[in-house]
Amino acid sequence: MASNVSILSRLISSYLLIIVVVLLSGLYTIWNLSEFNRLIRVVTSHDTRMIELSQECQDILISANASERKYFVSGDETYLRQFRDLEAALTGKLNELAALVDTEKKRELLESVRGACGRYAALFEDMAAQTGSRRVPADEVARYRIEQDLIVADTGQTLRELTRISSDERDDKLREIEANSVRSADAILISLVVAVILMIAISVLNTQSINVPISRLREKTKAVARGDFGDPLDIGSPPEIRELASAFNAMCDRLRELDQMKIDYISHLSHELRTPLTAIREASSMLEEGLFNEMPEKQRELQTLIREDCERLIRSVTRLLDFSMMESGIMHLTVQEAPLRPLVERNLQRFSAVAQRKRIDMRVDIPPDLPPVRMDAEKIEVVVENLLSNALKFTDDGGLITISARPRDDGKLVEVAVTDTGRGIPESGLKEVFEKFKRIDDGRGAVRGTGLGLAIVKHIIKAHGGRVWADSELGRGSTFTFSLPA
Ligand code: ADP
């Protein structure tokens, strides 16, 4: 299916798509990493700290219990102070724990620890006060001991429970982190694989969509080089190559046309050269065989014919040579200011015999005050000669040819026109007559010529900085006009 998307847009949109996929995968990875970081932060700053604090509380409780016992056994005030310091440290740790607890269950456990510790301290202070004021009976001491040991055991149990819950939570989070990292590794891998597949697919598609039409164009070029024009190349997309293909088709059409023109032209030119050569050969054979030995009049006629045909041949060959030199850019102009009239009259003189033979009236319409023109007189003579010879060639007997000249553009230019009452040129052929080898077929049969006369005229006039054009009406005549700087 032909698509109108240019090569540039295809490349840009493909690479944009790849960039979007890579960006999305990058964003997903960044999101995963930040989630990963958050969980690690929670584990290290929260759960691990809770476990540490619970264990520290257990240790402090055991140490406080030991200091308390030592105090009651030895009555040493150092142990009393030690106990109070440990109790203050325990309260501090419990407060820290309270700031960290995040579930109802943990809060409950912590509250029960705080309550027990409070009770423990109160019992201790009470017993310490009693020990200081009186001798405490042994059964009371034993009851006190049992109660305190129970509190210590219960609190230790509760703290262990807190530690267990926190470490379970920490393990859950670590498992979550692990699962997350596996998930993100999978996602990154999948997005990378998708990006690579996409990149390969897009590159292959893009390359194909450019390569296929280019190889068709290459094959077609090879075929045309072999001279096989075939059907026009039909390439739908991409637009750049479609335009290239249509330019290529136009070039092929022109080449085909030129090819055909070349074939026609060679056959025409061979005929053009062969006709006078055959006439010369026939005439000289007759003279050689002495057919007209007794008829000097006939001999002269044959000699004139030989001379005229030789001149015609020389003219044709000179034209070919002049044209090939002009085409290769070799044209030296010797520009001088000169009047036009003498040049035109010289040419009329040259063609007067032919004009008389065809009973064609040739008139000159050049005002006496026409300013001189800047020209290479020799070259402009060739121009007038070509235009006049065409006019004579394409005008039937009894016609009229006029050469007129007028100043134009406030005297900056001079326009010279050769008008005939000949067969005329069809509208479609007017522009083409100045093309090399172009001979307009107006359906009235072939007329001699090399098809180069007007192309030479155009070269010379362009080299002078002027312009040449044709107007014509089929069946009524033509006017060829050229302008020169005055
Ligand atoms: P050629 O040497 O074959 O005449 P030109 O280049 O001088 O070549 O002319 C090209 C074609 O232009 C001629 O073959 C003819 O068809 C047409 N042409 C030129 N001059 C005239 C004219 N005065 N009247 C009609 N057709 C003309």
Side-chain angles (χ1 to χ4, degrees), residues 319 390 393-394 420 425 438-440 449-451 453-454 478:
R319 219 173 232 208
N390 275 349
K393 199 156 59 175
F394 296 104
D420 63 54
I425 304 165
K438 200 77 194 179
R439 313 191 68 256
I440 309 301
T450 54
L454 290 178
S478 323

Side-chain angles (χ1 to χ4, degrees), residues 206-278:
N206 274 345
T207 317
Q208 282 292 91
S209 72
I210 298 166
N211 219 9
V212 169
I214 283 184
S215 20
R216 285 183 57 204
L217 199 60
R218 191 185 53 217
E219 290 312 313
K220 183 75 187 171
T221 315
K222 282 185 190 162
V224 169
R226 285 195 305 270
D228 168 16
F229 288 96
D231 292 332
L233 199 56
D234 179 22
I235 290 178
S237 73
E240 291 90 337
I241 301 181
R242 186 176 57 216
E243 277 166 32
L244 192 65
S246 68
F248 183 82
N249 285 337
M251 189 188 76
C252 284
D253 288 346
R254 182 72 186 133
L255 270 179
R256 207 193 320 242
E257 200 183 311
L258 285 176
D259 216 38
Q260 191 52 46
M261 230 160 105
K262 185 186 73 190
I263 294 168
D264 294 349
Y265 185 71
I266 289 174
S267 91
H268 166 78
L269 191 68
S270 324
H271 185 72
E272 181 71 13
L273 298 178
R274 200 192 159 106
T275 312
L277 279 174
T278 315

Side-chain angles (χ1 to χ4, degrees), residues 13-72:
S13 50
S14 318
Y15 291 116
L16 271 181
L17 186 65
I18 293 169
I19 288 170
V20 167
V21 171
V22 172
L23 260 180
L24 284 180
S25 119
L27 285 177
Y28 182 70
T29 312
I30 290 170
W31 179 78
N32 261 319
L33 281 177
S34 64
E35 190 59 14
F36 195 73
N37 271 345
R38 189 186 65 79
L39 286 174
I40 286 185
R41 234 184 353 262
V42 170
V43 168
T44 50
S45 68
H46 187 267
D47 297 341
T48 310
R49 184 68 190 138
M50 272 204 74
I51 295 167
E52 280 169 9
L53 283 172
S54 309
Q55 281 168 352
E56 279 167 22
C57 286
Q58 287 176 57
D59 294 344
I60 294 173
L61 196 62
I62 292 166
S63 306
N65 187 249
S67 304
E68 174 224 356
R69 277 171 188 271
K70 283 178 193 160
Y71 172 65
F72 285 123

Side-chain angles (χ1 to χ4, degrees), residues 265 268 272 319 386-395 418-426 429 432-442 447-457 470 472 474 477-480:
Y265 185 71
H268 166 78
E272 181 71 13
R319 219 173 232 208
N386 277 326
L387 295 182
L388 268 181
S389 91
N390 275 349
L392 278 167
K393 199 156 59 175
F394 296 104
T395 302
V418 178
T419 308
D420 63 54
T421 54
R423 57 165 71 175
I425 304 165
E432 294 176 347
V433 287
F434 294 99
E435 282 178 28
K436 54 189 169 191
F437 313 134
K438 200 77 194 179
R439 313 191 68 256
I440 309 301
D441 182 7
D442 58 2
V447 179
R448 284 162 156 195
T450 54
L452 291 178
L454 290 178
I456 291 176
V457 165
S472 184
L474 208 54
S478 323
T479 302
F480 283 82

Side-chain angles (χ1 to χ4, degrees), residues 443-476:
R444 289 174 57 178
V447 179
R448 284 162 156 195
T450 54
L452 291 178
L454 290 178
I456 291 176
V457 165
K458 192 173 172 188
H459 265 298
I460 295 177
I461 296 297
K462 264 180 88 177
H464 278 78
R467 217 162 62 79
V468 58
W469 65 96
D471 301 290
S472 184
E473 207 178 317
L474 208 54
R476 308 200 63 156

